[in-house]
Amino acid sequence: METNEFLEKPVKGLFYRYLVPSIIGTMVTSIYVLADTIIIGKGLGSVAMAALNIALPIYNIFFGIGLLFGVGGSVLMSVYRGRNLKKEADAYYTAAFFMNILVWLVCLVLCTVFMEDLAWMLGGTEETMPYIMDYIPYIIWGMGGYFLSAFLQTVIRNDGAPKLAMNAVIAGGVTNIILDYVFVFPMQMGMAGAAIATVIGSWLTVAILFVHFFTKKNQLKFNFKGIRPAFIKEIVVNGFASFLIEVSAGITIFIFNLQLLNYVGNIGVTVFGIICNVSIVIMGLCKGVNQAAQPIISMNHGAGKRERTQEVRGLAMRNSLLICAVPVLVGLIVPNFYTYIFLNPDKDILSLSAEAVRIYFVGFIFLAVNMVYISYFQSVVKNMYSLIICLLRGCIFVILFVYLLPVFLDVSGIWLAFPAAELLTMFVGSRMMKNLSFRKL
């Protein structure tokens, strides 16, 4: 899509043109983990599922780094295209691409050397460690698929090819699901089979995304001469909120797992594994909405068209709230619906999961609002605002509440920590948005 189309076509049509491919793309990305969980839960049991949930933060970190450079580079690329500065836009893209490659290689070396230490640090126990060590070696050795997939999806979507990004992710996701089943059930490869299926699916997505560089739509060009040292800081600052969203999801999983092990043991981690996987889907939906809005907002912000940016923000907010309301209502009315998707549960798991889902899922309504705030502030290069919201919801409030509330409410307080953190963050974000509306962006 040409830059002028972003700036002149009706906003609503542009938004919905990007919305469906973006949502499908992010949804299928979440299926990489979701398929692993369902297959492992049904095929290997609750302890294996608990082990997978303990290992999940490492996936969040790898994918988050890809988004750090993908979103950071794409936002700046789109803003400079909006200003009709193509060479500068290409230089930001070039810097982001090679920074992503460099960090991938450093992480590969470090994680390979300290693999077992990493597994223990994530919360491995004597019972779960054999399963974890069957799973994470393949995730670590194949981590480049996550780095490149997250990066390229974002950049190519900003380059006007949302359908290719969607198709690439669908192909990888479908392949992952098929291979998950084949490797775990007929071939009896256990956790290793699930991990290998995920890695193969991710690299297939990357291979298809690279096709964009050989099409007529491709406007991405390397510009090494235009790169300045300041670009590194600007890219990291602009993409850090996206990175923090992924990493904070890993932090939430980590600290919840530790608290649940203290209060109710492995059964609590298993139930939280169910919640985590539904959360991944809901987060994917929210990200899809905001990824549809981001290139339109960034391009128009660069061109100084403020009314168009606000119109897109309103569309993103309405769609996010509508999308999140459906799983919340299902969780409140029939909470064990989700439990049966992942497990063949016993009465103890059913008893714990019903209360957990009803309390925890309320927070998704507030999450929908916070995700729009984060994306909007990123898109208009108000990075401090987006960073504050990410830190509050993903680190400060959730850690505070997950340790404070159980003192008074026992295990119910652990489940309540998430909605409480999102609600307080929403109030802060709302205040920031009101302050910004009184000033010129």
Side-chain angles (χ1 to χ4, degrees), residues 7 13 21 105 230 257 309 327 334 342-343 355 373 431:
L7 304 178
L105 297 176
N257 284 342
T309 67
V334 281
F342 296 98
L343 289 171
E355 178 195 29
Y373 287 160
R431 186 66 182 174

Side-chain angles (χ1 to χ4, degrees), residues 48-81:
M49 184 169 164
L52 177 63
N53 199 50
I54 290 168
L56 277 182
I58 198 168
Y59 173 87
N60 293 111
I61 292 169
F62 296 159
F63 202 80
I65 293 172
L67 286 176
L68 167 67
F69 298 117
V71 174
S74 294
V75 167
L76 290 164
M77 180 182 77
S78 295
V79 167
Y80 277 85
R81 283 184 178 181

Side-chain angles (χ1 to χ4, degrees), residues 161-439:
K163 288 184 179 179
L164 176 62
M166 175 189 73
N167 291 333
V169 176
I170 289 174
V174 171
T175 300
N176 178 44
I177 293 170
I178 294 170
L179 293 181
D180 253 330
Y181 178 82
V182 172
F183 290 166
V184 173
F185 287 104
M187 297 183 67
Q188 296 290 300
M189 293 173 65
M191 297 285 285
I196 293 168
T198 301
V199 170
I200 290 173
S202 184
W203 276 104
L204 177 61
T205 295
V206 172
I208 296 171
L209 287 169
F210 267 111
V211 171
H212 176 72
F213 297 100
F214 303 97
T215 65
K216 293 180 179 179
K217 289 185 177 181
N218 176 40
Q219 298 182 65
L220 298 168
K221 300 288 186 292
F222 286 140
N223 177 14
F224 294 97
K225 292 182 179 179
I227 296 176
R228 300 193 304 273
F231 283 16
I232 297 174
K233 178 183 176 182
E234 291 179 61
I235 289 167
V236 170
V237 168
N238 276 281
F240 195 73
S242 293
F243 169 74
L244 198 56
I245 288 171
E246 291 295 325
V247 173
S248 64
I251 292 170
T252 299
I253 294 170
F254 176 66
I255 62 170
F256 271 66
N257 284 342
L258 293 181
Q259 280 290 77
L260 288 164
L261 285 169
N262 288 333
Y263 277 81
V264 288
N266 279 331
I267 187 175
V269 177
T270 300
V271 168
F272 188 56
I274 296 165
I275 291 173
C276 281
N277 279 274
V278 179
S279 298
I280 288 169
V281 174
I282 294 172
M283 284 286 286
L285 290 167
C286 289
K287 288 175 189 175
V289 172
N290 290 304
Q291 286 179 11
Q294 180 266 309
I296 308 170
I297 292 174
S298 294
M299 202 83 72
N300 283 277
H301 172 69
K305 299 190 175 186
R306 186 178 183 186
E307 289 184 3
R308 287 172 65 86
T309 67
Q310 292 176 328
E311 186 179 350
V312 179
R313 186 189 74 200
L315 286 166
M317 186 68 75
R318 289 192 292 274
N319 281 274
S320 292
L321 287 169
L322 181 62
I323 285 170
C324 286
V326 176
V328 171
L329 286 174
V330 173
L332 293 174
I333 298 168
V334 281
N336 285 329
F337 167 78
Y338 298 107
T339 307
Y340 280 105
I341 293 175
F342 296 98
L343 289 171
N344 300 312
D346 56 31
K347 62 179 182 180
D348 292 331
I349 289 178
L350 288 172
S351 175
L352 184 61
S353 66
E355 178 195 29
V357 167
R358 284 196 173 106
I359 296 173
Y360 195 99
F361 274 38
V362 172
F364 292 136
I365 296 296
F366 313 130
L367 167 73
V369 177
N370 291 331
M371 291 290 286
V372 173
Y373 287 160
I374 291 168
S375 178
Y376 182 77
F377 290 139
Q378 272 188 296
S379 299
V380 299
V381 203
K382 293 296 179 182
N383 300 300
M384 186 56 66
Y385 286 6
S386 60
L387 181 59
I388 288 171
I389 296 175
C390 284
L391 287 172
L392 290 178
R393 65 164 293 274
C395 298
I396 297 171
F397 286 155
V398 75
I399 292 174
L400 174 66
F401 289 137
V402 83
Y403 284 103
L404 179 63
L405 295 179
V407 175
F408 304 100
L409 301 171
D410 199 61
V411 71
S412 298
I414 299 176
W415 308 128
L416 186 59
F418 169 71
E422 294 289 352
L423 177 61
L424 278 183
T425 303
M426 186 182 72
F427 287 140
V428 175
S430 177
R431 186 66 182 174
M432 288 178 176
M433 192 63 74
K434 287 180 181 177
N435 289 341
L436 191 63
S437 67
F438 291 111
R439 306 205 310 265

